[in-house]
Amino acid sequence: MGLVTAQDMLEKALKGKYAVGQFNINNLEWTKSILQTSQELGAPVILGVSEGAGKYMTGFKVVAAMVKAMIEEMNITVPVALHLDHGTYEGCYKCIKAGFSSIMFDGSHFPIEENVAKTTELVHVCKQLGLSLEAEVGAIGGEEDGVIGKGECADPDECKKIADLGVTMLAAGIGNIHGKYPANWPGLSFETLAAVKEKVGDMPLVLHGGTGIPTDQIKKAISLGVAKINVNTECQLSFQAATRRYVEEGKDLAGKGFDPRKLLAPGAQAIKDTVKEKMEIFGCIGKA
Ligand code: 13P
């Protein structure tokens, strides 16, 4: 099976009361680990690509070609969507051209009228091309220059406005943030989530900042309509820790000298373990 959109998998997740994981990719090892784990566990998966990661991998065309070839070479049969994460307006068009199967347009920093106008245009383009589209309302905070921004709570009426345009899925800020949560984080606003759900009905909701949210809050969010959960930082942390351990043990210098495949293997295994752990919590194992 080649790439699929996120639509079918999210509709099933919403009905089945579980969430599909979006795991962001940064290189070949990351991608391979996530695909292997999804296949082993029989779970549908969304590979997220930020604009920065796309640039790092030399461009979206390379990413799309790599992922499509990996699906074929690795005999991956579970549904896989390749999704632009927090796309700019220009980035969306680049990924559409490069062959992504799913796009996120993050217009949350625009005034609502401009977010509506640009999202409307992209809904039209994605419908014509058969791609899924994620929109965002209520900025999701996170760390920038060492300062952790507070996660905003989306206005449920604005969420309805964007949902009604015909997007496939909606990321609504409910106090969630990217990266590590500060010690005094008050937790997800379930009041906001319930109010958004009430307004948008059967629209699958997306929870960003999946790293470090306590399991009980994740499960409650799923019970209130979250069908896709994004994880990036947790894979980065586990990759980094495993690589550091390996280097500190001096193993990369053993034997016949430096071998990048050996150096990256513990990190790749750490990502597999993290993805498995998250999929268990999301309830998507065996749902392919
Ligand atoms: P974390 O980096 O906090 O896991 O969030 C990932 C995310 O939401 C990507 O859009």
Side-chain angles (χ1 to χ4, degrees), residues 22 24 48 50 85-86 104 134 136 140-141 176-181 206-213 228-236 278:
Q22 174 190 306
N24 282 36
S50 68
D85 190 28
H86 292 284
M104 175 186 185
E134 176 178 342
E136 179 172 323
I140 290 147
N176 44 327
I177 60 173
H178 292 121
K180 285 185 180 173
Y181 286 83
V206 182
L207 183 63
H208 282 246
T211 296
I213 300 177
K228 169 175 176 280
I229 303 178
N230 294 5
V231 178
N232 181 31
T233 305
E234 203 152 330
C235 289
Q236 292 182 333
K278 288 291 174 188

Side-chain angles (χ1 to χ4, degrees), residues 187-210:
L188 296 175
S189 168
F190 293 110
E191 204 187 342
T192 307
L193 180 55
V196 170
K197 171 78 185 154
E198 171 84 29
K199 293 274 179 185
V200 304
D202 282 341
M203 166 74 45
L205 297 172
V206 182
L207 183 63
H208 282 246

Side-chain angles (χ1 to χ4, degrees), residues 98-172:
F100 278 45
S101 62
S102 190
I103 299 293
M104 175 186 185
F105 170 59
D106 181 355
S108 62
H109 49 284
F110 290 124
I112 185 71
E113 297 74 28
E114 195 170 352
N115 193 357
V116 167
K118 289 192 160 73
T119 304
T120 303
E121 179 190 311
L122 283 158
V123 164
H124 187 68
V125 173
C126 288
K127 283 230 160 94
Q128 268 187 340
L129 297 171
L131 307 176
S132 44
L133 177 68
E134 176 178 342
E136 179 172 323
V137 180
I140 290 147
E143 192 177 326
E144 239 176 88
D145 296 332
V147 178
I148 300 178
K150 199 173 155 285
E152 263 180 38
C153 281
D155 174 343
D157 289 318
E158 290 187 357
C159 290
K160 179 166 170 49
K161 224 181 228 177
I162 297 279
D164 284 351
L165 301 176
V167 299
T168 318
M169 52 201 142
L170 182 71

Side-chain angles (χ1 to χ4, degrees), residues 17-97:
K17 295 261 179 218
Y18 60 91
V20 176
Q22 174 190 306
F23 297 94
N24 282 36
I25 58 172
N26 288 283
N27 62 17
L28 179 143
E29 285 74 17
W30 234 269
T31 315
K32 184 175 162 189
S33 293
I34 297 165
L35 287 176
Q36 272 174 340
T37 311
S38 307
Q39 183 69 24
E40 278 164 26
L41 301 179
V45 74
I46 299 169
L47 300 178
V49 183
S50 68
E51 297 211 359
K55 251 188 225 157
Y56 173 76
M57 289 183 272
T58 75
F60 295 125
K61 269 192 208 164
V62 173
V63 177
M66 175 180 79
V67 170
K68 284 177 191 171
M70 275 187 171
I71 290 173
E72 194 184 325
E73 295 279 4
M74 293 169 67
N75 296 316
I76 300 294
T77 54
V78 295
V80 180
L82 179 60
H83 181 71
L84 171 64
D85 190 28
H86 292 284
T88 58
Y89 179 74
E90 296 77 22
C92 287
Y93 281 100
K94 280 189 194 160
C95 287
I96 289 170
K97 210 168 151 205

Side-chain angles (χ1 to χ4, degrees), residues 261-283:
R261 286 168 293 184
K262 285 190 185 151
L263 173 66
L264 294 174
Q269 182 58 46
I271 290 178
K272 290 184 77 174
D273 296 342
T274 301
V275 170
K276 182 171 181 218
E277 202 180 292
K278 288 291 174 188
M279 285 179 162
E280 275 164 0
I281 296 171
F282 299 168

